[in-house]
Amino acid sequence: MGSLMRKVQIVAMIAMLFLAMFHLSACGSSTSGDPSDLSYTDPDGNDSTIVIKSGSFTDKRDGQKYSTVTVGDYTWMAENLNYKLDGSKNSRDYGTSKNYGVLYSLKQAKKVCPEGWHLPTYAEWKELFSLLEEAHEDSAGWVLKTTSGWESDEDGMSGNGGNLIGFSVKPTGFYNGYYALEGQYTAFWVDGDMDWDGYATAIRFDYDDADWHSPELYAYRAEIYVRCLNDKNTLVGTLGTCDDSKEDSI
């Protein structure tokens, strides 16, 4: 009887070990660190997928490494640019709790992206949002925002997002004469020009909205964040960029 019991225990242990090995193998194949592809059904009833790939990039100017995310054909920095210029400040320099990256004026932002990258145009941001809205209509902001750090709205609804593609939009706040709205708001410069009243376009994310916004900011005072877009598969990549130094004209 004792011998039979020992045999049963051995078989059970082998079975448990096999199941554990299978579980580890399955988890290993699904938790590689890559964000998940976004699947959806188009208006014609066809199943479609937006391919998402994670990666990294090292800025040769200062050796800083950035996470990247490729959405379809476009590769974005998945972190705020943190390249220091003479006189530039990061969020901690303005007394915030965390370093969210360096804040730039619009003039600086138009030249600060490393070689092979550029400040995105409004059309390029819209292309990103349009792809995400295929899978999550009216919720592109939620898809891009981090899963923690955002404050709740007046009704107690969390402002956190799903960070489904690893884009990691954080509630940084911004500088406009003083630093404000950390936990509630963030913005990114768009490649454009100031209007006659001194305003320029930026992309904005709020704690109390699952979508995104394109407001106008006081460009002559505002310092906000930059996400660079890789030149490959973009109009900039096709036509080329200006030959002048990215720093000499800042």
Side-chain angles (χ1 to χ4, degrees):
M1 183 68 178
S3 177
L4 177 61
M5 181 61 70
R6 281 195 296 273
K7 289 181 180 179
V8 170
Q9 289 174 337
I10 292 171
V11 171
M13 289 175 64
I14 293 173
M16 289 175 66
L17 179 61
F18 174 79
L19 288 172
M21 292 175 63
F22 176 80
H23 177 70
L24 288 172
S25 175
C27 288
S29 65
S30 61
T31 58
S32 62
D34 289 336
S36 299
D37 295 344
L38 298 180
S39 299
Y40 66 97
T41 302
D42 66 24
D44 296 326
N46 301 313
D47 293 334
S48 299
T49 299
I50 302 168
V51 177
I52 310 295
K53 297 179 181 178
S54 62
S56 62
F57 164 79
T58 300
D59 190 340
K60 293 185 293 185
R61 298 173 297 183
D62 60 5
Q64 290 193 75
K65 186 175 181 179
Y66 296 90
S67 298
T68 65
V69 59
T70 301
V71 186
D73 293 328
Y74 301 94
T75 299
W76 293 77
M77 285 188 179
E79 301 176 63
N80 297 346
L81 189 63
N82 193 40
Y83 180 69
K84 277 259 190 177
L85 303 169
D86 289 340
S88 64
K89 295 182 178 181
N90 62 36
S91 50
R92 274 207 174 120
D93 294 328
Y94 285 119
T96 63
S97 62
K98 299 177 182 178
N99 178 13
Y100 296 111
V102 172
L103 295 112
Y104 303 98
S105 68
L106 177 60
K107 182 179 179 181
Q108 292 172 329
K110 289 163 74 75
K111 296 289 184 178
V112 76
C113 288
E115 183 179 358
W117 299 74
H118 64 276
L119 186 67
T121 64
Y122 181 71
E124 288 170 331
W125 276 104
K126 281 279 289 180
E127 181 69 20
L128 172 64
F129 297 139
S130 296
L131 283 172
L132 300 180
E133 287 165 358
E134 294 283 359
H136 292 272
E137 186 177 357
D138 298 328
S139 299
W142 179 85
V143 172
L144 297 174
K145 289 194 295 184
T146 52
T147 59
S148 63
W150 293 83
E151 294 183 8
S152 298
D153 64 16
E154 295 177 356
D155 298 322
M157 183 68 69
S158 173
N160 294 325
N163 203 23
L164 298 188
I165 67 170
F167 202 82
S168 301
V169 173
K170 299 178 180 180
T172 61
F174 78 113
Y175 180 84
N176 191 19
Y178 58 92
Y179 206 94
L181 300 177
E182 183 182 5
Q184 298 183 351
Y185 171 104
T186 195
F188 302 106
W189 281 124
V190 168
D191 190 3
D193 296 316
M194 290 184 291
D195 63 21
W196 290 105
D197 295 321
Y199 290 82
T201 303
I203 299 298
R204 191 185 86 226
F205 298 87
D206 292 349
Y207 72 107
D208 58 355
D209 199 327
D211 210 352
W212 59 278
H213 306 271
S214 177
E216 301 294 314
L217 294 174
Y218 287 102
Y220 72 93
R221 296 179 64 187
E223 295 176 10
I224 58 178
Y225 295 96
V226 164
R227 288 293 182 97
C228 300
L229 178 63
N230 195 278
D231 294 347
K232 186 178 179 180
N233 296 324
T234 67
L235 189 61
V236 168
T238 302
L239 299 180
T241 57
C242 298
D243 293 329
D244 57 335
S245 168
K246 285 182 176 292
E247 284 196 54
D248 290 344
S249 56
I250 291 177

